[in-house]
Amino acid sequence: AFQANESEVIVATIGSFSTGVNLQNAHNMVFNDYNWVPGQMEQAKFRIVRVGQKNKCKFHYMIGSKQDEYILAKLEAKMETIRSVV
């Protein structure tokens, strides 16, 4: 329904939508929960950044606690390390 423009919002977990789902009709993604594996977070982002995407994609991160801040900081540090090696 989402891909057919019959719905404007889709709610899913990173685990269920990190691979094999094309969400190029979307251009905003909200992360409410974080996965300790940065590759899964990146893979989830790639669901909307696809060939044929017509809009600039934006990613929003919900931070509701000190734990969320800590996890997000660690994920960003991990991704920076991965980018510097690759």
Side-chain angles (χ1 to χ4, degrees):
F2 181 79
Q3 283 300 94
N5 292 320
E6 296 169 3
S7 175
E8 293 184 17
V9 176
I10 191 164
V11 178
T13 64
I14 289 175
S16 66
F17 271 44
S18 61
T19 58
V21 178
N22 181 350
L23 298 173
Q24 76 185 46
N25 280 355
H27 59 275
N28 282 289
M29 182 176 280
V30 177
F31 287 96
N32 186 49
D33 193 20
Y34 308 108
N35 191 300
W36 279 105
V37 180
Q40 288 187 1
M41 298 272 297
E42 290 295 302
Q43 200 54 252
K45 290 179 184 180
F46 293 146
R47 298 303 102 205
I48 69 172
V49 180
R50 308 286 285 177
V51 173
Q53 175 59 265
K54 297 178 179 114
N55 299 298
K56 180 178 179 180
C57 296
K58 298 176 187 173
F59 302 99
H60 312 275
Y61 300 89
M62 303 292 290
I63 299 175
S65 67
K66 291 288 183 187
Q67 289 85 359
D68 287 344
E69 288 179 26
Y70 176 80
I71 293 169
L72 193 54
K74 289 295 182 185
L75 285 169
E76 289 172 353
K78 284 182 179 183
M79 285 309 300
E80 189 58 39
T81 299
I82 292 168
R83 286 184 197 106
S84 70
V85 172
V86 176

